[in-house]
Amino acid sequence: MTTEARPQATERTISVVVNGERRSATVLDRKTLADFLREDLELTGTHVGCEHGVCGACTLLLNGRAVRSCLLLAVQADGQEIQTIEGLAKGDELHSIQQAFWEEHGLQCGYCTGGIIMSTLAMLEDNPHPSDEEIYEVLGGHLCRCTGYEDIFKSVKRAIELRGQGR
Amino acid sequence: MKPAPFTYFAPTSIEETIGLLQRYGDEAKILAGGQSLVPLLNMRLARPTALIDINRIPRLDEIVTEDDAIVVGARVTERQLERHPVVAERLPLLVALVKLIGHPQIRNRGTVCGSIAHGDPSAELPAGALALDATVTVTGPTGERTIAVDDFYLGYLATALAGDEMMTQVRFPIPAAGTGWSVQEVARRHGDFALVGAVALVRVEGGRIAATNVVSFGTGGRPLRFPEVEAKLVGSVPGEALFSEAAEAITELLDPDDDVHASAAYRRQVAGVLVRRALEEALRRCEGGSR
């Protein structure tokens, strides 16, 4: 079969823009983007749940699109732009989506919330007035075991309202 | 660290990719969207020596709309296809198929060619490609070759792609004007792989079926076509009884496996129902097919 020996761990230096700030680091080729953010950049708001793309907790924006960071290697993000949940609030002032989740009780334990908020952000940046169906589809990409989803849905509706008011 | 060690390559040309494939052969894996491969890496069900990331190769992210076909490059994401206005207008079946895959967050990365090359027997795109008589283009050390999807799938997760070849595009022919289409599936949750599904194309001329393609998926090691059943349908006057008969004939031909998700008996029964519904819906969407 193979003439190559089992590969040694290889690494390379990458440069990414995270929440508007350029960060460079040397990273193992096999490290996922989620683990890189959490362990190397100490951005632990990106949560890791299932680590195979199902639960959605690790969702962030890569070049403006919502993606699973557990299914990306950090080295694949080299030269790209990343937005994580840490980039949303301005100091103590919550982002309007965070405010909406606060007001509508869109979270309990909070484990899934960061990912859901990032998916909501991508959806609203793309289309500020999504249909209920579109909201369901986006939320369908996230598992929440606390809320039963009703309050999450209400939170997204509230976020649309707040956004409409220029928040 | 989730995946086992591998050597990562990010080639910037197809030639460079082929060179790496020649060097590593079956020990290499091509990484495009990673929505099937990275879970396998994370769970260490796949332990390739070399991971060849094709995301830095230019031009593979193009959708070309020809007069009679939609041609999709190796890096085109499912989301790109879903949102392409010409695809929605000229080949709406493709959009319907893609919308059954995962969620927007998955389709933002998952690629059309990746799904077809992976060839999960429960996946929507391989089934749709088979129904549409699609062809895949693969490039290897001696150049390009084109393979009909029906010849591409050899068995469970096995394709005609050689170890030193990469798939560079898939070509979906646009069916003749007036052709009706349908995709039907049963899945536990929206976005899951289908337990069972069916795709049908129907074209009616002068009150009789002029052409039809029928595919069942999730019912064998690969998506399945039924030439004998299709041949019997052609020339017949479409209707409930005819379609029930066809569905029954297909059920007889199926030999699915039991697994943790569903029993073989359940799969066969549902497969027949879905084939019938797919034929009925395709007929309703036909020009001159509505009754």
Side-chain angles (χ1 to χ4, degrees), chain B residues 140-152:
Chain B
T142 56
E144 257 185 18
R145 61 186 183 118
T146 299
I147 310 167
V149 164
D150 204 6
D151 300 325
F152 186 66

Side-chain angles (χ1 to χ4, degrees), chain A residues 132-147:
Chain A
D132 288 0
E133 189 117 318
E134 284 166 301
I135 298 171
Y136 287 133
E137 213 200 341
V138 166
L139 294 182
H142 293 273
L143 291 182
C144 170
R145 299 292 77 174
C146 300
T147 64

Side-chain angles (χ1 to χ4, degrees), chain B:
Chain B
M1 207 67 53
K2 301 303 284 186
F6 51 73
T7 307
Y8 173 83
F9 297 97
T12 53
S13 72
I14 292 173
E15 296 70 33
E16 201 184 331
T17 307
I18 304 302
L20 289 165
L21 289 171
Q22 281 184 286
R23 184 168 151 205
Y24 288 97
D26 292 341
E27 296 294 313
K29 273 284 180 194
I30 288 185
L31 172 65
Q35 304 300 289
S36 297
L37 178 57
V38 179
L40 294 174
L41 295 177
N42 282 353
M43 292 185 268
R44 301 202 176 191
L45 293 169
R47 302 168 68 107
T49 303
L51 198 62
I52 307 172
D53 181 357
I54 61 168
N55 284 287
R56 312 267 168 184
I57 304 177
R59 286 189 305 280
L60 292 180
D61 60 344
E62 289 170 2
I63 298 174
V64 178
T65 56
E66 298 178 351
D67 285 346
D68 58 350
I70 307 285
V71 183
V72 177
R75 290 204 289 121
V76 170
T77 63
E78 289 148 356
R79 193 71 166 155
Q80 237 178 301
L81 191 71
E82 173 187 345
R83 301 190 133 194
H84 196 289
V86 178
V87 175
E89 189 199 314
R90 304 204 46 214
L91 202 35
L93 169 61
L94 277 186
V95 177
L97 288 163
V98 163
K99 283 191 162 186
L100 292 167
I101 301 171
H103 314 282
Q105 300 91 330
I106 298 295
R107 303 199 291 269
N108 276 338
R109 290 292 301 175
T111 63
V112 175
C113 285
S115 170
I116 290 172
H118 186 55
D120 190 301
S122 297
E124 292 82 2
L125 279 170
L130 182 61
L132 288 165
D133 290 317
T135 51
V136 301
T137 302
V138 305
T139 305
T142 56
E144 257 185 18
R145 61 186 183 118
T146 299
I147 310 167
V149 164
D150 204 6
D151 300 325
F152 186 66
Y153 292 122
L154 305 178
Y156 183 73
L157 299 185
T159 68
L161 196 65
D164 56 3
E165 288 176 323
M166 83 170 266
M167 182 172 164
T168 50
Q169 66 178 38
V170 56
R171 186 174 191 276
F172 297 103
I174 295 171
T179 301
W181 57 272
S182 176
V183 51
Q184 302 283 329
E185 72 170 42
V186 168
R188 289 266 180 213
R189 292 162 294 261
H190 175 74
D192 277 10
F193 278 114
L195 288 175
V196 187
V199 183
L201 299 176
V202 176
R203 185 162 59 86
V204 174
E205 258 173 43
R208 289 175 185 274
I209 296 176
T212 184
N213 296 359
V214 186
V215 168
S216 172
F217 62 105
T219 47
R222 46 158 285 174
L224 301 164
R225 270 287 281 274
F226 305 94
E228 306 82 5
V229 178
E230 292 171 4
K232 277 188 85 173
L233 287 169
V234 172
S236 304
V237 178
E240 255 170 58
L242 181 74
F243 289 162
S244 294
E245 223 173 273
E248 225 166 276
I250 285 172
T251 309
E252 289 300 314
L253 293 168
L254 293 174
D255 185 20
D257 287 330
D258 286 308
D259 65 22
V260 291
H261 304 294
S263 67
Y266 175 82
R267 281 205 156 89
R268 286 181 77 220
Q269 177 161 358
V270 174
V273 173
L274 295 184
V275 163
R276 178 172 54 73
R277 286 183 191 163
L279 284 165
E280 286 169 357
E281 185 175 57
L283 178 66
R284 283 196 298 275
R285 285 194 174 121
C286 271
E287 252 166 49
S290 55
R291 288 164 300 144

